[in-house]
Amino acid sequence: MSIASTPTLCKLNASLGLLGCIDLPNLGAVVKLHVDSSAQMVYVVTKTKLARVNGSSEDFGMASFEETTLPVPNVLCAVFETSVTKKLYLSVETGAILRFDLNVWSMETDYNLTIPRFTAARAGDIDTEYGFIYFASFSNPAIIAKINALTGELSGTFTVFGSLSRATQLSVDNNGRDIYVTDYANFVKVSAPAPCPRFCSGKGTCKFGGECECIEGWQDIDCASLVCPLAPVHNHSTSTSTEMQQCAGVGACRNGTCECYPGYNG
């Protein structure tokens, strides 16, 4: 892939060699190249444009392509999620994270993620095993932001103290879940925060540090259990109580059903 104002995209095969090249006129310097194998599509991101090229063409030199101008400040870093949501996350020079929907080929105007103390990121990658996107700020010290790739919500941030500053590259080891970050002179390995138990069973949001925040009606560390009815806490000294607890405080909640302690029923 050329980085000229008119980049050239070439397709090679390990056995057959060069299968062809195609010019992408006036696209500009390339920020990110991504291959979606399932859709046989190649995506090219520059500071101001996005192009997709049909990678299934037998004569790649004649492959069809489509481009669009990105209505955003200059793109500094791009991360694709093409296995489930078909989204493109863009770090722009204002410091915000924006999102492009590859399904409908347009920007999501209602998505604008601004992260406190986070300057524009020039490095990012996706953890395809656990479904998180990481961006590293171009600042000193570097701050790494963790984003839920399915919802687009910020899961948290953590600071990389030490010799690293102004991160230029970030890569996630999906097997060991380590994050490797470099700047102009240093190389740092950090451990990714733990994933949430059972990914919150689809009934909650995974918060930074591996803790689930369950939606209403669900509970436990993995949000897998139904809550039990609330009732006034049983009080031996009075017949009334204003405090409310599950199972009135005299029973154990088992996935939505109260199991009363000995001597209690109801």
Side-chain angles (χ1 to χ4, degrees):
M1 166 63 75
S2 167
I3 61 171
S5 60
T6 300
T8 300
L9 179 65
C10 296
K11 181 179 181 180
L12 296 94
N13 181 280
S15 301
L16 302 177
L18 182 65
L19 299 181
C21 295
I22 182 173
D23 288 334
L24 304 173
N26 303 315
L27 211 61
V30 176
V31 173
K32 179 73 173 183
L33 175 68
H34 176 79
V35 178
D36 181 359
S37 300
S38 62
Q40 295 186 305
M41 195 69 66
V42 182
Y43 295 96
V44 182
V45 183
T46 69
K47 288 187 176 182
T48 59
K49 294 185 178 182
L50 169 66
R52 56 183 174 187
V53 182
N54 184 354
S56 63
S57 176
E58 293 184 4
D59 183 358
F60 191 72
M62 299 298 293
S64 62
F65 73 93
E66 178 183 8
E67 69 174 71
T68 185
T69 298
L70 298 169
V72 300
N74 284 345
V75 175
L76 301 178
C77 180
V79 177
F80 286 83
E81 198 299 300
T82 52
S83 60
V84 180
T85 63
K86 304 291 184 183
K87 307 284 188 179
L88 166 61
Y89 288 80
L90 301 167
S91 170
V92 298
E93 61 182 5
T94 61
I97 305 296
L98 307 178
R99 191 164 65 183
F100 188 94
D101 191 330
L102 299 171
N103 292 297
V104 298
W105 200 241
S106 67
M107 290 295 302
E108 295 186 12
T109 57
D110 59 345
Y111 185 88
N112 187 319
L113 181 61
T114 302
I115 305 170
R117 302 181 297 107
F118 192 86
T119 58
R122 302 190 182 189
D125 197 11
I126 183 170
D127 180 347
T128 56
E129 179 70 21
Y130 293 102
F132 289 103
I133 289 173
Y134 296 92
F135 282 104
S137 67
F138 193 70
S139 61
N140 185 10
I143 298 174
I144 297 180
K146 178 183 179 183
I147 300 170
N148 187 313
L150 298 181
T151 65
E153 296 178 344
L154 178 68
S155 293
T157 60
F158 57 102
T159 303
V160 183
F161 293 102
S163 58
L164 186 75
S165 66
R166 296 178 175 85
T168 57
Q169 297 289 332
L170 182 150
S171 181
V172 179
D173 177 2
N174 291 310
N175 293 322
R177 301 194 62 257
D178 292 319
I179 301 174
Y180 298 88
V181 189
T182 64
D183 58 13
Y184 292 113
N186 302 287
F187 175 83
V188 175
K189 173 184 174 182
V190 295
S191 295
C196 287
R198 297 182 61 192
F199 307 105
C200 305
S201 307
K203 302 294 192 300
T205 300
C206 184
K207 294 297 183 181
F208 192 70
E211 181 180 353
C212 290
E213 183 177 290
C214 304
I215 61 176
E216 186 176 355
W218 298 87
Q219 62 181 350
D220 287 348
I221 61 171
D222 57 359
C223 301
S225 298
L226 289 164
V227 299
C228 288
L230 294 175
V233 174
H234 183 81
N235 192 323
H236 292 284
S237 60
T238 178
S239 59
T240 60
S241 173
T242 58
E243 182 183 356
M244 304 289 284
Q245 288 187 13
Q246 294 185 62
C247 306
V250 291
C253 182
R254 308 293 186 191
N255 196 24
T257 301
C258 291
E259 294 183 1
C260 298
Y261 298 146
Y264 295 93
N265 57 45

